[in-house]
Amino acid sequence: PLGRNADTQLLVFDSSWVGLAPIPPADLMYRNYKAQYEAAFALGARARGNVFLAHHPVLGFASNPSNPQQPFPGNRGLQSVLEPMYPGALFPANVDLVLSGHNHLFEIVTFSTPHAPQFITGNGGTARDDPFPVPFPPSAQPAPGAVVAEIVSSTGFGFMTMDRDAAGWIARAWDYDGKLMTTCTLAGRRIACTSIADRAGKP
């Protein structure tokens, strides 16, 4: 639980063993992940809003140096378990935000479909990924049916902070020198961000 009102929770999920490919339903990993998701989302019912944390992004992109116009999608292994549980959404409605690392960049993706926004804060201090093309490829989807409304990204080293306010949360991304790159306001799944230096923009 976060804060005195306990109206928001962190749901922490260990995805460390997942691969890149969809997991067959008969596989032991599929059954284990499904049971763990069910347990996490049952705990999520205790709060009005939840932030789902996993190392691997479910609804984000990774840059593809060999074909920049076709960025790599979110983790297909995790998606293959979530899609039958929450068809067309991957997460229950009270998951307001998915927060991950793994990809070596800063990234925020919001959707015009009923998918939770994805934050990736993987720019903390190792080899950086290539920047996304600008404009961002309009047909790219991190998961089947997940239509991107806006993507904000930076490949510069930095970090992110999140602070509560009356409406929800304020997320700020900072560069290596502590200079502000972008500010995002979060109210449920509604997110609005200021511009960023190598922002990819709307697809």
Side-chain angles (χ1 to χ4, degrees):
L2 292 177
R4 287 172 293 180
N5 296 330
D7 59 347
T8 303
Q9 295 182 129
L10 299 178
L11 301 178
V12 184
F13 185 85
D14 181 1
S15 66
S16 57
W17 283 97
V18 73
L20 298 176
I23 307 170
D27 193 292
L28 178 60
M29 180 181 284
Y30 185 104
R31 299 198 300 271
N32 285 343
Y33 277 172
K34 184 175 185 292
Q36 291 166 11
Y37 275 128
E38 289 171 342
F41 296 144
L43 292 170
R46 298 178 179 179
R48 186 176 64 219
N50 294 275
V51 178
F52 186 88
L53 291 92
H55 179 77
H56 296 83
V58 177
L59 287 164
F61 295 96
S63 58
N64 182 354
S66 63
N67 189 352
Q69 291 299 318
Q70 293 186 1
F72 293 117
N75 186 273
R76 296 299 199 208
L78 299 177
Q79 292 173 8
S80 67
V81 183
L82 288 164
E83 176 60 28
M85 299 175 67
Y86 297 94
L90 300 180
F91 290 96
N94 68 344
V95 170
D96 296 329
L97 176 67
V98 183
L99 179 61
S100 306
H102 189 66
N103 301 342
H104 297 170
L105 78 170
F106 174 78
E107 179 181 334
I108 297 173
V109 190
T110 60
F111 301 94
S112 57
T113 45
H115 293 83
Q118 171 80 64
F119 279 39
I120 300 174
T121 56
N123 59 331
T126 187
R128 295 174 293 181
D129 288 351
D130 290 348
F132 293 129
V134 179
F136 194 77
S139 61
Q141 295 183 352
V147 179
V148 175
E150 190 168 13
I151 178 168
V152 174
S153 68
S154 172
T155 55
F157 289 125
F159 60 97
M160 187 182 77
T161 59
M162 293 180 67
D163 299 290
R164 290 297 295 262
D165 70 358
W169 293 88
I170 299 176
R172 296 179 177 91
W174 310 84
D175 70 9
Y176 178 85
D177 296 314
K179 296 179 180 177
L180 186 64
M181 294 194 297
T182 186
T183 299
C184 301
T185 58
L186 296 78
R189 290 187 174 182
R190 298 186 305 276
I191 296 178
C193 298
T194 60
S195 60
I196 198 167
D198 55 343
R199 173 186 179 130
K202 296 182 179 180

Short mmCIF file of all heavy atoms in Angstrom, two decimals, residues 52-94:
data_model
loop_
_atom_site.label_atom_id
_atom_site.label_comp_id
_atom_site.label_asym_id
_atom_site.label_seq_id
_atom_site.Cartn_x
_atom_site.Cartn_y
_atom_site.Cartn_z
N PHE A 52 1.35 -1.83 -11.39
CA PHE A 52 1.88 -3.17 -11.60
C PHE A 52 3.34 -3.06 -11.99
O PHE A 52 3.68 -2.41 -12.99
CB PHE A 52 1.09 -3.89 -12.69
CG PHE A 52 1.48 -5.32 -12.87
CD1 PHE A 52 0.88 -6.32 -12.11
CD2 PHE A 52 2.45 -5.68 -13.79
CE1 PHE A 52 1.24 -7.66 -12.27
CE2 PHE A 52 2.82 -7.01 -13.96
CZ PHE A 52 2.21 -8.00 -13.20
N LEU A 53 4.23 -3.69 -11.21
CA LEU A 53 5.67 -3.62 -11.46
C LEU A 53 6.20 -4.98 -11.88
O LEU A 53 5.98 -5.98 -11.19
CB LEU A 53 6.41 -3.16 -10.21
CG LEU A 53 6.20 -1.72 -9.77
CD1 LEU A 53 5.06 -1.63 -8.77
CD2 LEU A 53 7.46 -1.17 -9.13
N ALA A 54 6.87 -5.02 -13.01
CA ALA A 54 7.57 -6.21 -13.47
C ALA A 54 8.80 -5.76 -14.22
O ALA A 54 8.82 -4.69 -14.83
CB ALA A 54 6.67 -7.07 -14.38
N HIS A 55 9.83 -6.59 -14.22
CA HIS A 55 11.06 -6.20 -14.90
C HIS A 55 10.84 -6.05 -16.41
O HIS A 55 11.35 -5.10 -17.02
CB HIS A 55 12.15 -7.24 -14.65
CG HIS A 55 13.44 -6.93 -15.35
ND1 HIS A 55 14.32 -5.97 -14.90
CD2 HIS A 55 13.99 -7.42 -16.49
CE1 HIS A 55 15.35 -5.89 -15.72
NE2 HIS A 55 15.18 -6.76 -16.70
N HIS A 56 10.10 -6.96 -17.02
CA HIS A 56 9.90 -6.95 -18.47
C HIS A 56 8.65 -6.16 -18.83
O HIS A 56 7.57 -6.41 -18.31
CB HIS A 56 9.77 -8.38 -19.00
CG HIS A 56 11.01 -9.20 -18.81
ND1 HIS A 56 11.30 -9.85 -17.63
CD2 HIS A 56 12.03 -9.48 -19.66
CE1 HIS A 56 12.45 -10.49 -17.76
NE2 HIS A 56 12.92 -10.28 -18.98
N PRO A 57 8.75 -5.21 -19.76
CA PRO A 57 7.58 -4.43 -20.17
C PRO A 57 6.57 -5.30 -20.92
O PRO A 57 6.94 -6.02 -21.86
CB PRO A 57 8.15 -3.35 -21.08
CG PRO A 57 9.62 -3.33 -20.81
CD PRO A 57 9.98 -4.72 -20.40
N VAL A 58 5.32 -5.21 -20.53
CA VAL A 58 4.26 -5.92 -21.23
C VAL A 58 3.72 -5.08 -22.38
O VAL A 58 3.38 -5.61 -23.45
CB VAL A 58 3.12 -6.28 -20.24
CG1 VAL A 58 1.96 -6.94 -20.96
CG2 VAL A 58 3.64 -7.18 -19.13
N LEU A 59 3.67 -3.77 -22.20
CA LEU A 59 3.01 -2.89 -23.17
C LEU A 59 3.93 -1.78 -23.67
O LEU A 59 3.45 -0.71 -24.06
CB LEU A 59 1.74 -2.29 -22.55
CG LEU A 59 0.58 -3.28 -22.40
CD1 LEU A 59 -0.47 -2.75 -21.44
CD2 LEU A 59 -0.03 -3.58 -23.76
N GLY A 60 5.22 -2.03 -23.67
CA GLY A 60 6.17 -1.04 -24.17
C GLY A 60 6.92 -1.56 -25.37
O GLY A 60 6.77 -2.71 -25.79
N PHE A 61 7.75 -0.71 -25.93
CA PHE A 61 8.55 -1.03 -27.10
C PHE A 61 10.04 -1.06 -26.75
O PHE A 61 10.47 -0.38 -25.82
CB PHE A 61 8.35 0.01 -28.20
CG PHE A 61 6.96 0.07 -28.76
CD1 PHE A 61 6.05 1.01 -28.29
CD2 PHE A 61 6.57 -0.79 -29.77
CE1 PHE A 61 4.76 1.08 -28.82
CE2 PHE A 61 5.29 -0.72 -30.31
CZ PHE A 61 4.39 0.21 -29.83
N ALA A 62 10.78 -1.81 -27.56
CA ALA A 62 12.25 -1.75 -27.53
C ALA A 62 12.72 -1.38 -28.93
O ALA A 62 12.11 -1.78 -29.93
CB ALA A 62 12.84 -3.09 -27.11
N SER A 63 13.78 -0.61 -29.00
CA SER A 63 14.29 -0.21 -30.31
C SER A 63 14.87 -1.41 -31.04
O SER A 63 15.37 -2.35 -30.44
CB SER A 63 15.33 0.90 -30.16
OG SER A 63 16.41 0.46 -29.34
N ASN A 64 14.80 -1.34 -32.37
CA ASN A 64 15.26 -2.42 -33.24
C ASN A 64 16.32 -1.85 -34.18
O ASN A 64 16.00 -1.29 -35.23
CB ASN A 64 14.08 -2.98 -34.04
CG ASN A 64 14.46 -4.14 -34.94
OD1 ASN A 64 15.64 -4.47 -35.08
ND2 ASN A 64 13.46 -4.75 -35.56
N PRO A 65 17.60 -1.94 -33.82
CA PRO A 65 18.65 -1.30 -34.63
C PRO A 65 18.68 -1.77 -36.08
O PRO A 65 19.01 -1.00 -36.98
CB PRO A 65 19.94 -1.68 -33.90
CG PRO A 65 19.51 -1.99 -32.50
CD PRO A 65 18.15 -2.59 -32.63
N SER A 66 18.32 -3.03 -36.33
CA SER A 66 18.38 -3.55 -37.70
C SER A 66 17.20 -3.11 -38.55
O SER A 66 17.27 -3.14 -39.78
CB SER A 66 18.46 -5.08 -37.68
OG SER A 66 17.29 -5.63 -37.10
N ASN A 67 16.11 -2.68 -37.90
CA ASN A 67 14.93 -2.20 -38.63
C ASN A 67 14.20 -1.20 -37.75
O ASN A 67 13.21 -1.54 -37.10
CB ASN A 67 14.02 -3.37 -39.01
CG ASN A 67 12.91 -2.93 -39.96
OD1 ASN A 67 12.72 -1.74 -40.22
ND2 ASN A 67 12.17 -3.90 -40.48
N PRO A 68 14.66 0.05 -37.68
CA PRO A 68 14.09 1.03 -36.75
C PRO A 68 12.59 1.25 -36.93
O PRO A 68 11.91 1.61 -35.96
CB PRO A 68 14.87 2.30 -37.06
CG PRO A 68 16.16 1.82 -37.63
CD PRO A 68 15.82 0.59 -38.41
N GLN A 69 12.06 1.06 -38.13
CA GLN A 69 10.64 1.29 -38.36
C GLN A 69 9.76 0.16 -37.81
O GLN A 69 8.53 0.27 -37.85
CB GLN A 69 10.38 1.46 -39.87
CG GLN A 69 10.95 2.75 -40.44
CD GLN A 69 10.34 3.99 -39.80
OE1 GLN A 69 9.14 4.06 -39.57
NE2 GLN A 69 11.19 4.97 -39.50
N GLN A 70 10.37 -0.89 -37.31
CA GLN A 70 9.62 -1.99 -36.70
C GLN A 70 10.18 -2.26 -35.30
O GLN A 70 10.89 -3.25 -35.08
CB GLN A 70 9.67 -3.24 -37.56
CG GLN A 70 8.94 -3.10 -38.88
CD GLN A 70 8.89 -4.41 -39.66
OE1 GLN A 70 9.38 -5.45 -39.24
NE2 GLN A 70 8.28 -4.36 -40.83
N PRO A 71 9.89 -1.38 -34.34
CA PRO A 71 10.40 -1.60 -32.98
C PRO A 71 9.87 -2.91 -32.41
O PRO A 71 8.77 -3.36 -32.77
CB PRO A 71 9.88 -0.38 -32.21
CG PRO A 71 8.72 0.12 -33.01
CD PRO A 71 9.04 -0.19 -34.44
N PHE A 72 10.65 -3.50 -31.52
CA PHE A 72 10.22 -4.74 -30.90
C PHE A 72 9.04 -4.47 -29.96
O PHE A 72 8.99 -3.44 -29.27
CB PHE A 72 11.37 -5.36 -30.11
CG PHE A 72 12.51 -5.84 -30.98
CD1 PHE A 72 13.77 -5.27 -30.86
CD2 PHE A 72 12.32 -6.84 -31.90
CE1 PHE A 72 14.82 -5.71 -31.64
CE2 PHE A 72 13.36 -7.29 -32.70
CZ PHE A 72 14.61 -6.72 -32.58
N PRO A 73 8.07 -5.39 -29.89
CA PRO A 73 6.89 -5.18 -29.04
C PRO A 73 7.18 -5.54 -27.59
O PRO A 73 8.30 -5.87 -27.21
CB PRO A 73 5.87 -6.14 -29.67
CG PRO A 73 6.72 -7.28 -30.18
CD PRO A 73 8.01 -6.64 -30.66
N GLY A 74 6.11 -5.52 -26.78
CA GLY A 74 6.21 -5.93 -25.40
C GLY A 74 6.45 -7.43 -25.29
O GLY A 74 6.42 -8.16 -26.29
N ASN A 75 6.65 -7.90 -24.08
CA ASN A 75 7.04 -9.29 -23.87
C ASN A 75 5.90 -10.24 -24.24
O ASN A 75 4.84 -10.23 -23.60
CB ASN A 75 7.47 -9.49 -22.42
CG ASN A 75 8.01 -10.87 -22.18
OD1 ASN A 75 7.27 -11.79 -21.90
ND2 ASN A 75 9.33 -11.01 -22.32
N ARG A 76 6.14 -11.06 -25.26
CA ARG A 76 5.11 -11.98 -25.76
C ARG A 76 4.82 -13.10 -24.76
O ARG A 76 3.71 -13.63 -24.73
CB ARG A 76 5.53 -12.57 -27.10
CG ARG A 76 5.67 -11.57 -28.22
CD ARG A 76 4.38 -10.86 -28.54
NE ARG A 76 4.39 -10.24 -29.86
CZ ARG A 76 3.69 -9.17 -30.19
NH1 ARG A 76 2.94 -8.57 -29.27
NH2 ARG A 76 3.73 -8.67 -31.40
N GLY A 77 5.81 -13.48 -23.97
CA GLY A 77 5.57 -14.52 -22.98
C GLY A 77 4.55 -14.09 -21.95
O GLY A 77 3.58 -14.81 -21.67
N LEU A 78 4.72 -12.91 -21.39
CA LEU A 78 3.78 -12.41 -20.40
C LEU A 78 2.42 -12.12 -21.03
O LEU A 78 1.37 -12.38 -20.43
CB LEU A 78 4.34 -11.15 -19.73
CG LEU A 78 5.66 -11.33 -18.98
CD1 LEU A 78 6.15 -10.00 -18.42
CD2 LEU A 78 5.53 -12.36 -17.87
N GLN A 79 2.44 -11.58 -22.24
CA GLN A 79 1.18 -11.30 -22.93
C GLN A 79 0.36 -12.57 -23.16
O GLN A 79 -0.87 -12.56 -23.05
CB GLN A 79 1.45 -10.62 -24.27
CG GLN A 79 2.00 -9.21 -24.17
CD GLN A 79 2.41 -8.66 -25.52
OE1 GLN A 79 2.16 -9.26 -26.56
NE2 GLN A 79 3.06 -7.51 -25.52
N SER A 80 1.05 -13.68 -23.47
CA SER A 80 0.33 -14.92 -23.77
C SER A 80 -0.43 -15.45 -22.56
O SER A 80 -1.44 -16.14 -22.71
CB SER A 80 1.31 -15.98 -24.28
OG SER A 80 2.22 -16.39 -23.27
N VAL A 81 0.04 -15.13 -21.35
CA VAL A 81 -0.67 -15.55 -20.14
C VAL A 81 -1.78 -14.56 -19.80
O VAL A 81 -2.88 -14.95 -19.38
CB VAL A 81 0.31 -15.68 -18.97
CG1 VAL A 81 -0.40 -16.18 -17.71
CG2 VAL A 81 1.46 -16.63 -19.32
N LEU A 82 -1.54 -13.27 -20.01
CA LEU A 82 -2.51 -12.24 -19.63
C LEU A 82 -3.70 -12.16 -20.57
O LEU A 82 -4.83 -11.87 -20.13
CB LEU A 82 -1.81 -10.89 -19.56
CG LEU A 82 -0.87 -10.69 -18.38
CD1 LEU A 82 0.06 -9.50 -18.63
CD2 LEU A 82 -1.67 -10.49 -17.10
N GLU A 83 -3.48 -12.36 -21.86
CA GLU A 83 -4.56 -12.14 -22.83
C GLU A 83 -5.79 -13.01 -22.56
O GLU A 83 -6.91 -12.50 -22.58
CB GLU A 83 -4.03 -12.36 -24.26
CG GLU A 83 -5.09 -12.26 -25.34
CD GLU A 83 -5.78 -10.91 -25.41
OE1 GLU A 83 -5.17 -9.89 -25.03
OE2 GLU A 83 -6.96 -10.88 -25.85
N PRO A 84 -5.65 -14.31 -22.28
CA PRO A 84 -6.86 -15.09 -21.97
C PRO A 84 -7.54 -14.66 -20.67
O PRO A 84 -8.74 -14.87 -20.50
CB PRO A 84 -6.33 -16.53 -21.86
CG PRO A 84 -5.04 -16.54 -22.58
CD PRO A 84 -4.45 -15.17 -22.37
N MET A 85 -6.77 -14.07 -19.75
CA MET A 85 -7.35 -13.63 -18.49
C MET A 85 -8.16 -12.35 -18.66
O MET A 85 -9.24 -12.21 -18.08
CB MET A 85 -6.24 -13.43 -17.45
CG MET A 85 -5.43 -14.67 -17.13
SD MET A 85 -4.04 -14.35 -16.00
CE MET A 85 -4.91 -13.91 -14.49
N TYR A 86 -7.62 -11.41 -19.45
CA TYR A 86 -8.27 -10.12 -19.68
C TYR A 86 -8.20 -9.79 -21.17
O TYR A 86 -7.38 -8.99 -21.61
CB TYR A 86 -7.61 -9.01 -18.84
CG TYR A 86 -7.74 -9.26 -17.36
CD1 TYR A 86 -6.72 -9.91 -16.66
CD2 TYR A 86 -8.88 -8.88 -16.68
CE1 TYR A 86 -6.85 -10.18 -15.31
CE2 TYR A 86 -9.02 -9.14 -15.33
CZ TYR A 86 -8.00 -9.79 -14.65
OH TYR A 86 -8.13 -10.05 -13.30
N PRO A 87 -9.06 -10.45 -21.97
CA PRO A 87 -8.98 -10.30 -23.43
C PRO A 87 -9.12 -8.84 -23.86
O PRO A 87 -10.00 -8.11 -23.38
CB PRO A 87 -10.16 -11.13 -23.94
CG PRO A 87 -10.43 -12.12 -22.84
CD PRO A 87 -10.11 -11.39 -21.56
N GLY A 88 -8.22 -8.41 -24.74
CA GLY A 88 -8.27 -7.06 -25.27
C GLY A 88 -7.80 -5.98 -24.34
O GLY A 88 -7.83 -4.80 -24.69
N ALA A 89 -7.34 -6.34 -23.15
CA ALA A 89 -6.88 -5.34 -22.19
C ALA A 89 -5.59 -5.76 -21.49
O ALA A 89 -4.78 -4.92 -21.14
CB ALA A 89 -7.96 -5.06 -21.14
N LEU A 90 -5.42 -7.05 -21.25
CA LEU A 90 -4.26 -7.66 -20.59
C LEU A 90 -4.24 -7.46 -19.08
O LEU A 90 -3.69 -8.30 -18.36
CB LEU A 90 -2.93 -7.18 -21.19
CG LEU A 90 -2.70 -7.47 -22.67
CD1 LEU A 90 -1.33 -6.92 -23.10
CD2 LEU A 90 -2.78 -8.95 -22.96
N PHE A 91 -4.80 -6.37 -18.59
CA PHE A 91 -4.82 -6.10 -17.15
C PHE A 91 -6.23 -5.73 -16.72
O PHE A 91 -7.01 -5.18 -17.51
CB PHE A 91 -3.87 -4.95 -16.81
CG PHE A 91 -2.42 -5.31 -16.94
CD1 PHE A 91 -1.72 -5.00 -18.10
CD2 PHE A 91 -1.74 -5.95 -15.92
CE1 PHE A 91 -0.39 -5.33 -18.24
CE2 PHE A 91 -0.40 -6.28 -16.05
CZ PHE A 91 0.28 -5.97 -17.20
N PRO A 92 -6.57 -5.98 -15.45
CA PRO A 92 -7.87 -5.54 -14.95
C PRO A 92 -7.96 -4.02 -14.93
O PRO A 92 -6.94 -3.31 -14.94
CB PRO A 92 -7.94 -6.13 -13.54
CG PRO A 92 -6.52 -6.42 -13.16
CD PRO A 92 -5.79 -6.71 -14.43
N ALA A 93 -9.17 -3.51 -14.86
CA ALA A 93 -9.40 -2.07 -14.98
C ALA A 93 -8.79 -1.28 -13.84
O ALA A 93 -8.54 -0.07 -13.99
CB ALA A 93 -10.91 -1.80 -15.06
N ASN A 94 -8.56 -1.91 -12.67
CA ASN A 94 -8.00 -1.16 -11.55
C ASN A 94 -6.47 -1.18 -11.53
O ASN A 94 -5.86 -0.76 -10.55
CB ASN A 94 -8.57 -1.64 -10.22
CG ASN A 94 -8.13 -3.05 -9.87
OD1 ASN A 94 -7.63 -3.79 -10.72
ND2 ASN A 94 -8.33 -3.43 -8.62
#
